[in-house]
Amino acid sequence: MSLLIRNARLLDGSLVDLLADDHRWTRIGTDLAADGATEIDAEGRLATAPLVDCHLHLDASLTAGKPRWNESGTLLEGIDVWGELKPSLTEQDVYERAREIVRWSVAQGTLFIRAHADVSGENDAMVRGLLRLRDDVAELCTVQVTAFPQDGIFQRDGDEQRLEHAIRLGVDCVGGIPHYEPTSELGLLEVHRVFDLAKQYSRRIDVHCDETDDPNSRFLEVMADDTVKHAMAGRVTASHCTAMGSYEPYYSSKLHGFLRRSGINVVVNPFANSLIQGRLDAYPKRRGFAQLKELLAAGVNVSLGNDVVMDPWYSLGRADMVEAASLALHFTYMSGREEIPEMLRCATERGARTLGVEDEYGLEEGKPADLVVYDAPNALEVLRLHPPRRWVIRRGRVVAETTPARTTLLGEPVTFSP
Ligand code: FE2
């Protein structure tokens, strides 16, 4: 089965044809001929390797309003609501909700997802449900599962052991939440424990790190130091890192170089953090975002996640990485001419680096034939219009297709383009 995509526009502006044979890209060039291949004419639309969602709490998705709504909209009430719901969840319920979000994601061009399964408390339905999902959807979407101790590992007897139990069940990454431990000392202990477990079981690390407005929350430097000490460059991710939005310049500049040398990845999650951070400030209010622009300039790999979709923390969302990139662009001032396409790279190839899937990712001959074609000609138009994903291709097969809506005003078409 061969598939030929004609006239696809790449991020660098060049126009190419891409030929997929036997699930892989076999030729990328111009004026390709392929007898018997199914042909799609992209007509100059932008095409990239798939979108990558580096941070998604799939176990909580689609639970908004259960067992009650988060009336205040705060992070802490969200954790309380989730804590009330958690004991009643079943593996099948987690599986079905997560599967629905994977369907939404794939339909919008996201073919790689790093999910988080809450492993705090006695109910292990979340991790079991997501592990089953990961294996069942593998042909359609690559899912990694992180064992995430939402309540910390030192606040309740047994939670440290439950984290290790989840690792034994077969998760891909060890998670943590050091800033949520009762004291800084316990937070430090938690970071070190996460690294020890990851080393012992040969897993990657993805820690919720400094997701607070407290400028004294500085577990990120500890993670970077442990990354160096354990020789885990590239295999460690710090997610959220919103305290960085409150770090003063001198400490920030020291931290940037340290992060680059450690090879740690940073993930920005704009939806929940745009609503949660700075909320308790009097005006002027802080934005509470990791320093995405400055980290990129310093050579740190930064990528993006949806984080939350219709859950106790965020009742909105539809799992679209283009919307995530667009929102992050606004909160991190990434509006320069070269910065706009870089935001799309944060949602695509930089995400692949974070997940460590570069070997099976990219528009190169020999790589798996995965592709997303946007109904727009370039990154600026993608991030301006959030257009439908015209075609989504997985392993050389069209798996999703969207026919764009057509708007008319008094009978005349409106295109939202000059
Ligand atoms: Fe998160």
Side-chain angles (χ1 to χ4, degrees), residues 133-255:
L133 172 90
R134 175 191 69 185
D135 298 340
D136 284 2
V137 302
E139 291 219 343
L140 193 60
C141 182
T142 302
V143 175
Q144 298 180 349
V145 178
T146 301
F148 169 49
Q150 172 77 69
D151 304 332
I153 59 175
F154 297 127
Q155 297 198 55
R156 176 171 48 209
D157 280 349
D159 275 350
E160 186 181 357
Q161 291 72 27
R162 290 183 192 107
L163 176 59
E164 187 163 5
H165 166 71
I167 298 167
R168 288 211 190 100
L169 287 178
V171 299
D172 305 276
C173 308
V174 185
I177 186 165
H179 56 276
Y180 198 64
E181 296 288 359
T183 67
S184 300
E185 261 185 329
L186 288 169
L188 292 176
L189 271 182
E190 193 203 284
V191 172
H192 299 320
R193 183 72 184 128
V194 165
F195 274 82
D196 287 343
L197 285 167
K199 202 75 180 173
Q200 182 183 346
Y201 290 96
S202 300
R203 300 294 202 273
R204 293 176 183 274
I205 289 173
D206 194 325
V207 164
H208 282 61
C209 191
D210 304 318
E211 189 182 3
T212 159
D213 290 324
D214 179 2
N216 296 310
S217 187
R218 295 181 170 187
F219 294 106
L220 184 51
E221 64 181 19
V222 186
M223 285 192 66
D225 191 46
D226 275 8
T227 301
V228 173
K229 283 180 177 148
H230 288 82
M232 287 186 70
R235 294 176 59 81
V236 177
T237 296
S239 291
H240 294 286
C241 307
T242 54
M244 201 188 291
S246 298
Y247 293 163
E248 41 86 7
Y250 180 82
Y251 178 69
S252 296
S253 67
K254 173 195 160 194
L255 183 64

Side-chain angles (χ1 to χ4, degrees), residues 263-329:
I264 202 169
N265 304 295
V266 171
V267 172
V268 168
N269 298 301
F271 288 109
N273 290 136
S274 65
L275 288 173
I276 287 170
Q277 307 317 129
R279 183 175 273 255
L280 300 180
D281 288 0
Y283 286 103
K285 290 175 182 282
R286 290 168 290 175
R287 291 199 166 194
F289 268 61
Q291 299 170 16
L292 182 147
K293 183 202 282 265
E294 293 76 10
L295 289 173
L296 289 177
V300 178
N301 186 45
V302 185
S303 51
L304 304 168
N306 268 290
D307 189 24
V308 283
V309 182
M310 301 183 75
D311 70 11
W313 296 273
Y314 188 72
S315 52
L316 300 96
R318 57 173 202 156
D320 184 4
M321 285 307 299
V322 168
E323 286 182 6
S326 177
L327 185 59
L329 177 157

Side-chain angles (χ1 to χ4, degrees), residues 354-375:
T354 298
L355 266 55
V357 295
E358 302 100 313
D359 288 351
E360 52 173 319
Y361 183 94
L363 303 184
E364 296 169 34
E365 292 174 5
K367 295 268 182 83
D370 296 345
L371 185 78
V372 53
V373 181
Y374 309 80
D375 193 38

Side-chain angles (χ1 to χ4, degrees), residues 27 79 116:
R27 288 195 64 198
I79 292 175
H116 293 260

